[in-house]
Amino acid sequence: MKKDDAMEFDALFEAQLSTLRSEGNYRVFAELERYQGAYPKAVRHTDDEQRDVTVWCSNDYLCMGQHPAVLQAMHDTLEKSGAGAGGTRNISGTNHYHVQLERELADLHHKEDALLFTSGYVSNWASLGTLGSRLPNAVILSDALNHASMIEGIRQAKCDKKIWNHNDMEDLRRKLEECAPDATKIIAFESVYSMDGDIAPIKEVCDLADEFGAMTYIDEVHAVGMYGPRGAGVAEREGLMDRITLIEGTLGKAFGVMGGYITGSAALCDFIRSFASGFIFTTALPPAVAAGALASIKHLKESEMERQRQRRQVAKLRTALDKAGIPHIDNPSHIVPVMVKDPVKCKMISDVMLDEYGVYVQPINYPTVPKGTERLRFTPGPMHTDADIEHLVFALGELWKHCALARAVA
């Protein structure tokens, strides 16, 4: 490539990046170093210095990424089996820890089988793409606020699709009625929606699925570990797991490690295993990662302490925000979205919180959320202290005043 050609390409890149910056939607990654045993405290690295910060937006919801049982399992497996899996499971063989983890996940969700992926994004993309492309006359009915990974899987499927209004059962019914009699109908939705923190009406979706003979596909990535007596998610809490055809989840949020998975019947999991390129051609999870996830799931099946502490701190943060008049979306989940509704101010508040108050929270702007709904998304954990909450709300109050933002009316 000629130097002039490379410069022309760079100019094209920079033009669009400049637009992102001017709109307040350019993403800047903070360089953080977490220290084992100190979470949610971390060290921020800049060119000039290192400073202590408190992390307020992690998806390691229960701090299981720091749990001694998880770390010990990973250390032991690393010493025993080495670092990597050696390649795909087809080429390098299925590691013993993969098999154990899949059995544990199947048991967690009371399903016949489970299948591991390298991330929750890949498990959604690969599974929905495979179902939609290979099932006869498939129609995927997708909630309007489904995650990008689900949308990408539906695109990959190249089958008919229908988008139903978010959590709107009347609209879902209309869309089901529009499907051809011979269609293989797949209703795809999430349990906890990560930006607004609202929860799907799972029973009502299942009732419609039964009425119209549809498959149910639920993404529980923001719910596994968090809800239900054993941490299997909202469907477990509501006694509905047996009515869900496919439950998809992640190991990278409340379970504190990384990876994605699906659970369902043995035939369903074998179908995805046999036809999904996102499984077949991807290097498998390292054995130590699988062992860590296995230890985390086993612990959270038995322990309620982490969930109880986390819910307590969520309630305290909501109460403190209400007293300060800081507007936030009232929802039944663990996610606390503080509404700024201005992309430039949202980014500025995030920057000042980090630079001057040692509070790390990322701005959530378009395209993650619609324009005009920009927010700061807080995820209180069991290790956030009451003093952390007090400091956070004080900082928000000062910046709300500085930005002349409206206060919520009690």
Side-chain angles (χ1 to χ4, degrees):
M1 181 187 299
K2 297 178 182 178
K3 183 176 181 181
D4 289 345
D5 291 338
M7 292 176 65
E8 287 182 10
F9 290 136
D10 284 347
L12 295 175
F13 304 147
E14 287 296 340
Q16 295 196 37
L17 289 171
S18 295
T19 301
L20 269 185
R21 292 186 183 96
S22 66
E23 293 174 345
N25 294 325
Y26 181 74
R27 290 175 170 87
V28 177
F29 296 156
E31 183 181 345
L32 304 180
E33 184 176 6
R34 304 201 321 179
Y35 286 135
Q36 191 273 321
Y39 185 80
K41 306 300 180 185
V43 174
R44 179 194 181 196
H45 292 263
T46 65
D47 292 339
D48 301 324
E49 61 181 350
Q50 299 178 14
R51 293 183 58 190
D52 290 339
V53 299
T54 302
V55 178
W56 271 102
C57 54
S58 172
N59 288 338
D60 187 0
Y61 294 132
L62 299 177
C63 303
M64 291 303 294
Q66 303 273 316
H67 196 280
V70 175
L71 300 182
Q72 191 61 54
M74 295 184 74
H75 280 298
D76 292 347
T77 307
L78 186 63
E79 292 295 327
K80 184 176 182 180
S81 298
T88 68
R89 288 169 69 173
N90 178 55
I91 297 296
S92 300
T94 285
N95 190 275
H96 176 60
Y97 295 98
H98 298 148
V99 175
Q100 285 188 309
L101 179 53
E102 286 172 343
R103 288 173 180 166
E104 192 72 25
L105 288 164
D107 175 79
L108 176 67
H109 293 288
H110 295 317
K111 298 295 185 184
E112 290 180 348
D113 206 354
L115 189 67
L116 284 173
F117 292 84
T118 51
S119 72
Y121 189 103
V122 174
S123 56
N124 268 332
W125 164 72
S127 299
L128 280 168
T130 302
L131 291 169
S133 64
R134 299 199 67 93
L135 293 179
N137 303 313
V139 179
I140 299 178
L141 299 102
S142 177
D143 185 284
L145 293 188
N146 276 343
H147 189 262
S149 58
M150 302 176 78
I151 294 169
E152 192 60 37
I154 295 167
R155 285 180 183 154
Q156 180 72 22
K158 295 183 173 64
C159 65
D160 289 342
K161 69 176 184 296
K162 294 180 182 294
I163 311 301
W164 46 285
N165 296 334
H166 177 55
N167 281 350
D168 186 337
M169 295 301 97
E170 290 185 6
D171 193 48
L172 176 57
R173 173 180 287 278
R174 285 192 292 268
K175 296 297 194 296
L176 285 163
E177 289 172 343
E178 294 170 359
C179 295
D182 64 344
T184 303
K185 297 175 283 292
I186 306 164
I187 303 174
F189 64 111
E190 301 181 39
S191 59
V192 178
Y193 287 84
S194 63
M195 290 299 112
D196 286 351
D198 56 337
I199 294 177
I202 301 174
K203 179 183 181 300
E204 289 78 3
V205 173
C206 291
D207 289 344
L208 284 175
D210 290 347
E211 181 179 346
F212 287 89
M215 176 189 300
T216 45
Y217 182 114
I218 190 169
D219 175 322
E220 289 248 45
V221 298
H222 291 277
V224 290
M226 303 294 293
Y227 301 93
R230 301 198 307 164
V234 178
E236 181 196 29
R237 184 188 70 182
E238 299 181 7
L240 297 169
M241 286 196 298
D242 61 315
R243 300 186 65 187
I244 305 293
T245 312
L246 184 154
I247 298 174
E248 185 266 351
T250 185
L251 306 170
K253 292 182 171 59
F255 291 131
V257 194
M258 70 169 292
Y261 66 88
I262 61 167
T263 64
S265 69
L268 169 59
C269 292
D270 196 22
F271 176 80
I272 301 298
R273 181 190 69 86
S274 299
F275 292 112
S277 64
F279 174 82
I280 296 168
F281 298 107
T282 301
T283 298
L285 288 175
V289 172
L294 180 65
S296 181
I297 294 164
K298 285 183 174 180
H299 175 82
L300 289 175
K301 278 182 175 179
E302 303 293 334
S303 175
E304 272 291 318
M305 177 186 68
E306 291 82 7
R307 289 188 281 271
Q308 289 174 354
R309 287 182 176 178
Q310 192 267 349
R311 289 168 192 158
R312 181 187 64 198
Q313 297 311 94
V314 168
K316 287 181 178 180
L317 176 58
R318 290 190 187 280
T319 298
L321 291 171
D322 287 339
K323 288 181 179 178
I326 304 297
H328 61 98
I329 296 178
D330 187 18
N331 62 52
S333 77
H334 57 283
I335 294 165
V336 183
V338 168
M339 304 306 292
V340 180
K341 300 183 179 181
D342 180 290
V344 176
K345 289 182 178 179
C346 194
K347 177 69 168 61
M348 188 203 76
I349 290 173
S350 172
D351 290 344
V352 176
M353 293 275 280
L354 184 59
D355 291 338
E356 297 186 14
Y357 294 94
V359 170
Y360 174 65
V361 58
Q362 276 289 80
I364 307 295
N365 290 349
Y366 179 84
T368 306
V369 295
K371 291 181 179 180
T373 69
E374 293 81 10
R375 67 200 64 184
L376 303 168
R377 177 183 175 274
F378 295 95
T379 54
M383 303 308 291
H384 284 107
T385 66
D386 292 354
D388 290 334
I389 294 173
E390 182 179 354
H391 177 67
L392 168 63
V393 175
F394 170 78
L396 282 172
E398 292 296 297
L399 290 169
W400 232 251
K401 186 190 310 177
H402 177 77
C403 293
L405 292 168
R407 300 270 179 164
V409 178

